[in-house]
Amino acid sequence: MTGVRTVQVDPAVDLDRHVYGERGAPVTLVEYGDFQCPYCRAAAPVLKELVDGSGGRVRLVFRHFPLFTVHPFALTAALAAEAAGDRFWQLHDLLFAHQDRLTDADLTVYADSAGVTGVVGVPAQAFRPAVEADYRAGVVAGVCGTPTLFLDGEPYHGRLELAALREAVGP
C-alpha cells in the first residue's frame, strides 16, 4: 500500500503505566500531553476532577507527546516525569504548576519536593524509550497536537470542559 507508514512501538513499554483513578475502571480516557503546553495545563485539573467525581468509573491514562519543536523543555520535562516512577502524578502536577520554569535546575527542585532524585541528565535518559514509545503510539493513533484525548479507544473531539466530558463518559 503506497503512502502507509508503519511505526514500531517498543513492546517492552507499558503504554498504560501512568493511570490516575481505578485501574479496572470501565471507562478509559487516554491523554497525549506535553508538560509545556498551556492547553494541557488547563485540561489537567478538569481531567482529574472528572476521574475524582466518577465514583471509580473513569480512569485517566497519561502518555507523553512532547512537542519539542515548539516547546524546548517538553522532552526534558517528560523524561523527568517518567523518572519519577511511582511519584509520576506528583511531578505531573508540579510541572504544570510551574510550566514557565522547566530547566534542569527547576526540574531537580520539583523532584526534590516530591521526594525523587535522578530526573535530569544521564539518569533521566534511561527513560527515553518510554517517552519515545508514547510518542510513537500517538503518531500511529493520529495525534498531531496536545492535548489529544481518546475515550475508550476513540478520538474525543468534544470540549475539554467538565460537563461535556461527563456527558461523553455517560452515567
Side-chain angles (χ1 to χ4, degrees):
M1 201 182 253
T2 307
V4 174
R5 193 176 99 180
T6 302
V7 179
Q8 295 296 318
V9 175
D10 186 346
V13 176
D14 175 11
L15 292 178
D16 293 335
R17 65 195 173 282
H18 301 305
V19 176
Y20 183 78
E22 298 291 326
R23 285 200 167 271
V27 177
T28 300
L29 191 61
V30 174
E31 174 192 10
Y32 283 90
D34 172 329
F35 288 112
Q36 212 173 357
C37 169
Y39 303 107
C40 292
R41 178 182 181 170
V46 174
L47 296 173
K48 281 194 164 189
E49 188 173 348
L50 174 71
V51 172
D52 291 344
S54 74
R57 289 192 55 259
V58 180
R59 72 183 185 135
L60 172 64
V61 177
F62 186 90
R63 294 187 183 156
H64 302 284
F65 202 81
L67 300 173
F68 48 84
T69 59
V70 179
H71 300 138
F73 297 105
L75 180 56
T76 54
L79 291 169
E82 200 61 35
D86 64 354
R87 305 267 172 96
F88 171 84
W89 289 102
Q90 285 178 270
L91 205 54
H92 167 280
D93 294 349
L94 288 166
L95 295 174
F96 281 131
H98 303 285
Q99 189 177 63
D100 58 332
R101 295 185 318 272
L102 297 175
T103 67
D104 283 359
D106 296 321
L107 296 173
T108 300
V109 169
Y110 309 145
D112 286 346
S113 73
V116 181
T117 60
V119 300
V120 297
V122 174
Q125 293 304 313
F127 298 93
R128 186 177 282 273
V131 173
E132 289 175 349
D134 282 359
Y135 190 88
R136 285 189 192 108
V139 168
V140 168
V143 175
C144 298
T146 59
T148 295
L149 301 178
F150 291 86
L151 180 56
D152 287 336
E154 296 296 319
Y156 173 77
H157 298 293
R159 298 181 60 84
L160 284 174
E161 296 173 346
L162 191 57
L165 285 163
R166 281 186 175 148
E167 185 176 325
V169 301

